């Protein structure tokens, strides 16, 4: 019963702070509602194909235009990459004096210099150079090579993917033209064949061909590895509502820290410690009261997203509820730790930066690899990943257990640190 009394007291204290409640409930709505009203579900174009950029320099110019076969190659590559040609003057100036000098006259030399510099600066994974005479060589069935520039310091997987796409495109282009040349040669041979052979060929063409099973003897079956994650980019609502909800639920850290600081400064905490209430009951009551507010905050914001804007909440409501509790619990326990160690100065700025790195404002996949490595140390990252696994990717409880375990780990470590500091008499003065 004593723990319920503490819970009720702290809950009333939290709810009485109108400014704090406004920041927890109204501030996220100030972001969610305008974005949801102004933009359609795909207003951010989050699901649009984001093709990687590929600088291209084409020296194969025939009669003032790109050679036919070189253009075919570019068209094939454009299916997978955003090709960068005809380097703008301002971009050339940004790349340095050497590129700017090379781009005094627009053309392939300018594109090559820009591509080399972009790869050197690690702005691009690879750059492609198509040599002079490429179209003539392909049309004649001769061997010719294109050059793929890369920076060895860049992610080797990205380079291998680019090599694979380029190899496939060049093989397709080469085989097509070899087949065309072969058919032309076959037609020339028919013209030189004896009259009887030509009559037999013409006679066979008059008969309806027997249907032939052209299905390949070898089929490919795609199997997802057990360790692979489904990668689905969220739409505007699926990014905005969970994103700003997660961002502001962790503002609960500041609310809990402020509440404990107030009790400490007024002497209420010290008086509580002189009552029969145990330390465990006291902390548990504080955690439960703030936990109720955090769960309510997430529930209200998700309900607004679902009822007013049509955001789906996934296929596993039980898993969503459990994840919500884990998220709120991690925020509350971190608030206890922040209060125990007087870590309040600059807390708001830290929480905003953490939300940015965790993908609350835009998908975390857009971040550079080094930042995606760092953000695994943030509870907001695990919260966002869990909510989007449920809401965006339609996963269930078993798939979000790792995220829940990580969040509970944050909560346990923070709670243990708070308890340890809580026993320090100096802290309670």
């Amino acid at each position: 019963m004593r723990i319920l009394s503490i819970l009720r007291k702290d809950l009333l204290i939290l709810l009485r702070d109108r400014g704090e409640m406004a920041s927890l409930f109204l501030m996220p709505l100030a972001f969610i509602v305008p974005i949801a009203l102004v933009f359609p579900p795909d207003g951010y174009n989050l699901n649009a194909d984001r093709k990687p950029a590929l600088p291209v320099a084409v020296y194969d110019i025939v009669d003032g235009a790109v050679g036919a076969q070189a253009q075919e190659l570019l068209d094939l590559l454009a299916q997978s990459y955003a090709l960068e040609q005809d380097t703008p003057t301002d971009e050339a100036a940004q790349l340095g004096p050497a590129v700017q000098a090379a781009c005094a006259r627009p053309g392939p030399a300018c594109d090559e210099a820009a591509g080399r510099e972009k790869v050197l600066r690690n702005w691009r994974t690879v750059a492609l150079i198509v040599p002079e005479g490429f179209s003539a060589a392909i049309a004649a069935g001769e061997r010719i090579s294109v050059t793929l520039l890369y920076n060895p310091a860049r992610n080797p997987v990205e380079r291998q993917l680019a090599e694979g796409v380029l190899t496939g495109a060049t093989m397709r282009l080469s085989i097509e033209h070899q087949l065309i040349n072969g058919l032309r040669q076959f037609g020339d041979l028919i013209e030189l064949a004896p009259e009887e052979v030509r009559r037999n060929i013409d006679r066979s063409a008059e008969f309806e061909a027997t249907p032939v099973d052209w299905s390949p003897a070898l089929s490919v079956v795609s199997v997802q590895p057990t360790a692979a994650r489904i990668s689905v980019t969220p739409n505007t609502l699926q990014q905005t509502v969970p994103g700003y909800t997660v961002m502001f639920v962790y503002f609960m850290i500041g609310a809990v820290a402020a509440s404990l600081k107030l009790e400490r400064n007024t002497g209420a905490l010290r008086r509580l410690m002189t009552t029969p209430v145990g330390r465990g009951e006291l902390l548990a009551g504080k955690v439960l009261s703030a936990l109720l507010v955090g769960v309510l905050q997430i529930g209200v914001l998700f309900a607004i997203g679902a009822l007013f804007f049509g955001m789906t909440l996934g296929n596993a409501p039980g898993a969503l509820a459990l994840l919500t509790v884990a998220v709120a619990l991690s925020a509350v326990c971190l608030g206890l730790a922040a209060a125990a160690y007087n870590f309040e100065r600059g807390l708001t700025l830290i929480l905003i930066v953490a939300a940015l790195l965790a993908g609350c404002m835009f998908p975390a996949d857009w971040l550079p690899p080094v930042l995606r490595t760092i953000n695994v140390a943030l509870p907001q990252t695990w919260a966002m990943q869990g909510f989007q696994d449920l809401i965006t990717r339609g996963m269930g409880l078993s798939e979000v257990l790792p995220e829940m375990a990580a969040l509970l780990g944050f909560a346990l470590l923070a709670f243990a640190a708070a308890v340890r500091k809580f026993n320090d008499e100096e802290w309670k003065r």
Side-chain angles (χ1 to χ4, degrees), residues 36-339:
L37 290 175
V38 172
F39 293 100
D42 275 332
Y44 284 162
N45 290 322
L46 297 181
N47 284 328
D49 293 332
R50 300 179 66 249
K51 297 179 181 178
L54 175 63
V56 177
V58 181
Y59 286 91
D60 184 45
I61 305 298
V62 180
D63 296 330
V66 175
Q69 283 70 31
Q71 187 60 54
E72 287 185 49
L73 176 62
L74 296 182
D75 292 341
L76 290 172
L77 293 175
Q79 298 175 13
S80 302
Y81 288 92
L83 304 184
E84 293 182 341
Q85 293 179 271
D86 303 324
T87 306
T89 304
D90 56 344
E91 185 178 63
Q94 186 181 2
L95 289 170
V99 177
Q100 191 173 12
C103 292
R105 294 182 58 187
C110 168
D111 292 336
E112 180 182 350
R116 287 181 179 275
E117 187 64 24
K118 289 177 182 178
V119 171
L120 182 63
R121 295 189 182 194
N122 211 14
W123 289 8
R124 299 291 183 264
T125 301
V126 293
L128 176 66
I129 300 175
V130 180
E132 185 179 358
F134 177 84
S135 295
I138 292 295
E142 299 174 354
R143 298 179 64 87
I144 192 169
S145 299
V146 295
T147 302
L148 193 67
L149 305 173
Y150 71 93
N151 188 335
R154 187 87 176 193
N155 187 347
V157 175
E158 296 179 4
R159 172 172 59 86
Q160 291 166 7
L161 289 173
E163 289 177 346
V165 171
L166 181 59
T167 301
T170 52
M171 285 181 61
R172 175 177 170 181
L173 188 64
S174 178
I175 290 173
E176 285 179 354
H177 284 277
Q178 288 178 11
L179 287 173
I180 292 172
N181 290 333
L183 289 173
R184 288 173 179 169
Q185 294 174 7
F186 181 70
D188 294 338
L189 290 174
I190 291 177
E191 294 297 327
L192 298 175
E195 181 68 24
E196 183 178 355
V197 174
R198 291 202 302 272
R199 282 200 304 269
N200 289 333
I201 293 175
D202 293 338
R203 192 181 301 114
S204 63
E206 295 175 359
F207 293 99
E208 183 178 357
T210 304
V212 179
D213 182 10
W214 289 100
S215 60
L218 178 65
S219 60
V220 178
V221 179
S222 299
V223 179
Q224 178 181 319
T226 55
R229 296 188 62 84
I230 299 175
S231 178
V232 178
T233 305
N235 63 29
T236 303
L237 288 173
Q238 293 167 343
Q239 173 63 36
T240 301
V241 177
Y244 286 106
T245 298
V246 168
M247 176 179 175
F248 283 96
V249 79
Y250 280 93
F251 276 49
M252 181 65 69
I253 296 174
V256 173
S259 174
L260 271 171
K261 182 179 180 180
L262 177 64
E263 287 193 339
R264 177 191 175 192
N265 293 341
T266 58
L269 183 62
R270 191 168 185 81
R271 290 194 296 272
L272 280 173
M273 294 299 296
T274 62
T275 65
V277 177
R279 182 183 62 184
E281 290 177 311
L282 178 61
L283 290 180
K286 292 185 176 297
V287 167
L288 288 176
S289 61
L291 178 62
L292 288 176
V293 175
V295 170
L296 180 63
Q297 179 190 13
I298 297 174
V300 168
L301 295 175
F302 276 18
I304 291 174
L307 295 176
F308 292 94
F309 302 110
M311 184 188 77
T312 59
L313 296 177
N315 306 316
L320 184 61
L322 290 174
L323 180 63
T324 296
V325 173
V327 171
L329 184 61
S330 67
V332 171
C333 291
L334 286 168
L336 284 179

Side-chain angles (χ1 to χ4, degrees), residues 19-41:
E20 198 66 53
M21 290 302 102
S23 66
L24 292 177
F25 286 87
L26 299 182
M27 282 293 289
L29 288 177
F31 289 90
I32 292 171
V33 172
I35 292 173
L37 290 175
V38 172
F39 293 100

